[in-house]
Amino acid sequence: MGGKSNRGKNRKGLQQTAPNSAEQSVSSDNPVNDSSSDVHVNANEDIDLSESVEVQSEVKEHDNESQEHLEKQADVHLYPVSVITQGGEKLELQLSPGDSVMDVRQFLLDAPETCPVTCYDLLLHTKDGSVHHLEDYNEISEVANITSGGCSLEMVAALYDDRSIRAHVHRTRELLSLSTLHSSLSTTLALQHEMSRNASANSNSGEAGKAKVAEVEKLGFMENDTDSLPNFFSSPSKEIKCVESIVFSSFNPPPGHRRLYGDLIYLDVVTLEGNKHCVTGSTKSFYVNSTTGNILDPRPNKAASEATTLVALLQKISPKFKKAFREILERKASAHPFENVQSLLPPNSWLGLYPVPDHKRDAARAENALTISFGSELIGMQRDWNEELQACREFPHTTHQERILRDRALYKVSSDFVEAATNGAIGVISRCIPPINPTDPECFHMYVHNNIFFSFAVDTDVEQLPQKLALEELSKVETTGTSQNPSDKKENNLPNGSLKVSTLDGSSVPHAEKALSSDVPAEAQLAESEQATYASANNDLKGTKAYQEADVPGLYNLAMAIIDYRGHRVVAQSVLPGILQGDKSDSLLYGSVDNGKKICWSEDFHSKVLEAAKRLHLKEHSVVDGSGNVFTLAAPVECKGIVGSDDRHYLLDLMRATPRDANYTGAGSRFCILRPELITAFCHAEASEKSNSGCVSEGENPSDSSGASNAEELVIVEENTATATIDAQDSMDGEKQKIQECCSHSESKATKEMLFNPNVFTEFKLAGNTEDIAADEENVRNASLYLKDVVLPKFIHDLSSLEVSPMDGQTLTEALHAHGINVRYIGKVAEETKHMPHLWDLCSNEIVVRSAKHIIKDTLRDTEDHDLGHTVSHFFNCLLGKVQGVSAKDVPNSTLSKNPKKGHSGNHASGKSSKGQDKLGKGGYARKKQSLYLSITSESLWTDIKEFARLKYQFELPEDARERVKKIAVIRNLCQKVGITIAARKYDFNAVAPFQVSDILNIQPVVKHSIPVCSEAKDLIETGKVQLAEGMLSEAYVLFSEAFTILQQVTGPMHREVANCCRYLAMVLYHAGDMSGAIMQQHKELIINERCLGLDHPDTAHSYGNMALFYHGLSQTELALRHMSRALLLLSLSSGPDHPDVAATFINVAMMYQDIGKMDTALRYLQEALNKNERLLGKEHIQTAVCYHALAIAFNCMGAFKLSHQHEKKTYDILVKQLGEDDSRTKDSQNWMKTFKTRELQMNAQKQKGQALDSASAQKAIDLLKAHPDLIQAFQAAAAKAGGSGGSANQSSNGAGETLPRGRGFDERAAKAAAEIRKKAAAKGLLIRPQVGPTQALQPLTQLLNIVNSGSTPAPVNEAIDEGKREYSGDISNGVKGPEDQAPVGLGSGLAAKKTKTKSKPTS
């Protein structure tokens, strides 16, 4: 039976699966060919096609030019192979020799002709007549050579068994449902547009362009973001019913004598006609038996209906089924192929349909729910996750194809593990799985289910603020120390005293800093041991990931995932071999289980750990154990090196894979460590400083003397390689990859690598001479200072200049992490961005949400199942409403009775000493748990949030924080962090209680994992970006296509990295003038983002914006505006209306209206964008100048040259102040002023000569301004403000940077490309874009930011005058913010100023 993997699916024969698709997928191996055959809606069709052909031919020649890619190219050549189905039909497949038989099965599972067939054998017939039987895990090349042609495959019916027949029934039900089809709004819009265009083909096309765009015209549309919630979901498509029901019959299981006849299963089927049939599934086929009543009659019925598949049988017995099934296949075929692909770990949605859809009877659903036991397989053996994972790691990986196979296997096993771990964790938290140590306190319970080990990590951040009366007793104890080592505690409680269970999950109960005196009450010790477990579990996951990526042969890690659900945090790990089978205390070979009292060491283990340490910038150093013995380690002391019963060397408990953060050394900051991205950046900085000064010192540790310019340059490099676009998980991968590159790079230069001692600033005693120890400490201190003094100010500068423009809490976190900044510094970022309202809001909202998250998790942890809805709605009302207090009678009495079983899970104050502890001793927190959530009021909650913000983030929330907070953005962020789903309806946040219990629809698990991604594809993408920056389109195209192909094979299409590839491919095709090809690739990116990141992720919003720009480039402005409308709605949810990206999107919308001649609407949007930018960024920010320039262009279109001149003058003044007179953009602006002035004089001259005015457009402008006197006043006021000083004058060394209201998803190197490509490719004659817009209007998307676009200059004045209406129409790509920026911002990228820096580090 074909597996469920999605691998390779879109490389082969997608055209067959979607013959009617409007957005037909391009086969990834030759998309240029396909896309060039698409219709271009361009006037100069021939130019466009010739460019396309040029790129095409270059791509084809590429094999001959580039030897290094030959091997890889060979891997992806496709050959036609025909398939003969069981029914004798013929299908054509495109296969590569490297494809596995599983790939072929997956394709056949997706093809409409063969989708119902699951149980068959594949025979391969070769040209010479020989026949080969194909095994599932073979590669085709192992069996026969298909490159010579003449090969065909035959599907031969195989016999069913118990397992395969159940799988067949499950697959049939899946086929009969449309729930697997996730259609994107973009696809729907395109189909609707196509239909309406066909319908209005006879009417005036000009009118059609202006119709139905009113929805975007409502300017107030952005101001109240709660209005946009009901519009979030597009109306669900109508379900097609094929059959009333298919259920397992109550005759199952077949009696013994019928088993001997081959009966495997009985099904009860009710058809749409109302007929009831009892169907027998046997080893050979399905047939309707003669049963009518309650007694089984196994004989075939008289009609003798029999078929090898269930679908074929139903088609015979029900005509209505036949018709409906055909409709379902057609619906699936009309969708984009990516919309039919399953996403492995789909994101949680924080919004649910409102009104809530009816819950209907579905016996199949009920059966599945009962038979799926928390992620474990019922039939057959349980999977041995650890063995699978380590076996995959041991795959050979010398050749390209081997690496792909290894990456694919690792990705698949890791994804399956995370899915099983998530299901298991839900079972653990729902108490469906019994613990293996039931006599221990509950927070120490451990569970083994489905070969996965589960344990609790308890959030003690909240308990740092005392919240139990028990604290009064604890407060006698000075809490700088913590309890007896919990690992020992666990060990004592284990069956057989097994050492390894304690080490298996050190993360869940980490080792405390110092042992408490023995007279501390047991209760207190229990509480102490929960110290910082949230942080340590996170760090352990990061450390595990780092060592996995270091990929040292012979050194292994366990699979790991962290699941947060209903306030609990569960750590899931694969089971270490031998751990559950008795005493293995002699198997600890490295590290310490008792916090350094006794340290184990082995030469063999040390050599492996040392190899990993080199790749992770960790230093070999000496430590002293409790007995005074000295050991040389290359890892943190508390890590544990264990030999499993499979003789593999495992390294566990990697809570500190990077050194401590020297800026945080107080009590309770044990797990404040530096991020790997920062370590990499700091090493780059030091290395470049050394190479600049020419000294290669051996043992010397340079002090923090990195010059600002140097440091800044390096941070730029850092930012280029891991910009805010990459999610936290992926950016870490990129960084680790860079760490390795960095190592090899520096070794080749014979430079001493910068290494850090992970055990400085800890309680462990270091050996060695004092100078060495001091030097190690100095090293770590320098890295911490580099973070505080260089990286943080640079990041804040980038935020202010819009170099980095996060939209919501998630993207802000990703941006911080990509720069190597821990979220604990967010308070400092907020303090420094007070002059930028949108940034201050973003940071303070994130602090509020993170503080509230800990409090709500703590509350949920102690809430009974029947009160969860009440608790969440009450908490939300306290957060955003005005709750004074709830009387106990308002809720079920049972709320107040607390289950004693849960007593330990979160009730103990942690004893973590902290700054505000004494002050808080009897404060708001202490009241909370006595009557659970009822005791929370708005007042007490906000007091706790402010206190938490002060303790954790050193940030003082203002008194009016409750009023200032952005309601929708905060509730969205909080729901995403805790996994809550609320109804998508309009909420009245002025009410006392905006939320009802019925608004809380679900609580889902939130998962953190370390699923690996393919480093080879990432390298290709990096190289492609460099080629793109060089303007080498065809080379970049080949690299991106190759990365796309590899990722498709490794992860399947539903992955964020695949979306990145599609974005770059869209950008290359766009610059090559192939607008239709660009739209295809952009559409793929949009679908993947919707499925992998979420419907309202900022990247998804930017995908809609880019789609809009591309459609506009094809003159399909109505469709473009519908996409813009969606982009604005999504932006309003993630950031609220006040954000520079929203202003930039308004400019784009204005340009589109300008192009269809709706100048009044265009001017309103431009004025709104100007107001936003002045309010958010200041009157003298470059973005404000952008708005003035856009207005100048708009007035120029209307013939109001005087107003154009006034606005351009304002632009010029700002640019002079920000960039100086010599900057190219300032000069461009000056040229524009001359142009407008000349036109004004010309017009006056024409008037004096009595000639007719240049006309209709000027008259239109005058009429418009008469009709809207407020516009005149607004513009005059704006012009009058020219002398005023701006709110933020950001002079910048890399001046180009500020021009861009950079959206998330922005990629530095790609952006630089936009400016450079134009120059270089124009020199090659590649990129002369034809005019694509309506001729009477300008193409302002371009002009818009020519001035701040370094790559090009406006036409010389006289040329511009001669050209009249035509200027810039051929240069759209400069003005449109291309897909590389992934933000719907109609501005040029303007980054060439930084290009030299990029080139200096092309490989990083």
Side-chain angles (χ1 to χ4, degrees), residues 959-1017:
E959 282 308 309
D960 61 344
R962 256 170 85 180
E963 287 69 44
R964 289 180 63 173
V965 83
K966 286 184 177 172
K967 309 280 194 295
I968 289 287
V970 161
I971 210 75
R972 170 182 180 270
N973 196 345
L974 184 59
C975 284
Q976 287 174 332
K977 283 184 167 58
V978 188
I980 294 167
T981 305
I982 62 172
R985 71 171 179 86
K986 187 172 176 178
Y987 293 97
D988 175 12
F989 288 114
N990 297 320
V992 175
F995 293 89
Q996 311 298 319
V997 180
S998 58
D999 292 329
I1000 312 301
L1001 303 181
N1002 200 1
I1003 302 182
Q1004 300 159 291
V1006 177
V1007 187
K1008 294 183 176 180
H1009 52 68
S1010 62
I1011 295 180
V1013 291
C1014 175
S1015 55
E1016 190 156 349

Side-chain angles (χ1 to χ4, degrees), residues 765-818:
K765 195 171 174 202
L766 298 171
N769 63 41
T770 47
E771 288 111 56
D772 280 356
I773 295 174
D776 284 352
E777 289 185 356
E778 185 63 18
N779 244 355
V780 173
R781 214 175 272 117
N782 287 342
S784 304
L785 282 171
Y786 176 74
L787 168 59
K788 201 167 74 178
D789 301 338
V790 179
V791 176
L792 209 58
K794 173 71 173 65
F795 179 70
I796 288 162
H797 173 267
D798 286 349
L799 285 173
S800 304
S801 64
L802 303 180
E803 271 299 293
V804 176
S805 181
M807 299 290 298
D808 62 357
Q810 186 186 349
T811 49
L812 173 66
T813 306
E814 286 166 11
L816 284 164
H817 287 171

Side-chain angles (χ1 to χ4, degrees), residues 445-464:
H445 279 175
M446 290 172 285
Y447 307 80
V448 175
H449 174 74
N450 193 11
N451 278 326
I452 300 174
F453 178 92
F454 298 95
S455 53
F456 283 105
V458 183
D459 181 4
T460 50
D461 278 333
V462 164
E463 288 145 38
Q464 187 174 324

Side-chain angles (χ1 to χ4, degrees), residues 1120-1330:
L1121 283 166
R1122 286 176 180 280
H1123 279 77
M1124 273 302 186
S1125 170
R1126 179 71 176 176
L1128 281 172
L1129 181 138
L1130 298 181
L1131 291 176
S1132 77
L1133 288 179
S1134 53
S1135 68
D1138 290 334
H1139 194 281
D1141 278 22
V1142 175
T1145 307
F1146 275 8
I1147 295 177
N1148 270 349
V1149 173
M1151 295 300 131
M1152 291 176 184
Y1153 277 114
Q1154 193 171 311
D1155 274 10
I1156 56 173
K1158 290 198 164 190
M1159 296 306 298
D1160 49 342
T1161 312
L1163 286 172
R1164 291 212 325 279
Y1165 271 103
L1166 287 173
Q1167 184 60 37
E1168 185 64 21
L1170 179 65
N1171 293 343
K1172 272 190 201 301
N1173 278 340
E1174 287 190 335
R1175 186 171 73 247
L1176 298 174
L1177 306 174
K1179 294 179 181 172
E1180 299 195 346
H1181 194 279
I1182 291 208
Q1183 271 315 115
T1184 312
V1186 170
C1187 291
Y1188 279 116
H1189 177 67
L1191 280 160
I1193 297 290
F1195 286 124
N1196 174 52
C1197 284
M1198 299 162 65
F1201 300 123
K1202 187 167 187 180
L1203 284 169
S1204 292
H1205 184 265
Q1206 284 172 8
H1207 285 78
E1208 194 57 51
K1209 174 78 171 77
K1210 178 65 178 137
T1211 307
Y1212 177 74
D1213 293 344
I1214 296 175
L1215 291 178
V1216 167
K1217 188 159 187 175
Q1218 297 293 348
L1219 304 174
E1221 292 191 6
D1222 298 332
D1223 191 274
S1224 62
R1225 287 159 294 172
T1226 315
K1227 289 177 178 168
D1228 292 345
S1229 179
Q1230 201 172 6
N1231 286 345
W1232 277 109
M1233 273 163 58
K1234 287 178 189 165
T1235 305
F1236 297 142
K1237 192 71 184 165
T1238 316
R1239 289 188 182 173
E1240 192 186 340
L1241 295 172
Q1242 274 189 337
M1243 196 164 77
N1244 292 342
Q1246 283 179 336
K1247 270 186 194 167
Q1248 285 164 8
K1249 287 178 191 169
Q1251 288 173 0
L1253 254 178
D1254 178 7
S1255 79
S1257 63
Q1259 188 56 45
K1260 193 167 168 189
I1262 295 158
D1263 296 344
L1264 173 66
L1265 293 171
K1266 278 181 188 162
H1268 296 277
D1270 53 319
L1271 280 177
I1272 299 179
Q1273 288 157 16
F1275 295 144
Q1276 284 169 344
K1281 288 188 279 191
S1285 67
S1288 68
N1290 299 310
Q1291 277 88 2
S1292 152
S1293 55
N1294 55 336
E1298 297 88 332
T1299 64
L1300 217 42
R1302 206 101 66 281
R1304 286 266 311 81
F1306 176 75
D1307 191 287
E1308 292 284 339
R1309 204 173 272 125
K1312 295 181 173 77
E1316 282 309 291
I1317 281 170
R1318 307 300 311 172
K1319 276 194 209 165
K1320 295 181 180 165
K1324 292 185 188 177
L1326 243 183
L1327 290 174
I1328 310 113
R1329 291 286 317 285

Side-chain angles (χ1 to χ4, degrees), residues 613-628:
K614 283 180 192 160
R615 300 181 190 186
L616 299 176
H617 298 265
L618 294 179
K619 181 178 177 178
E620 190 175 27
H621 58 281
S622 303
V623 290
V624 183
D625 72 1
S627 319

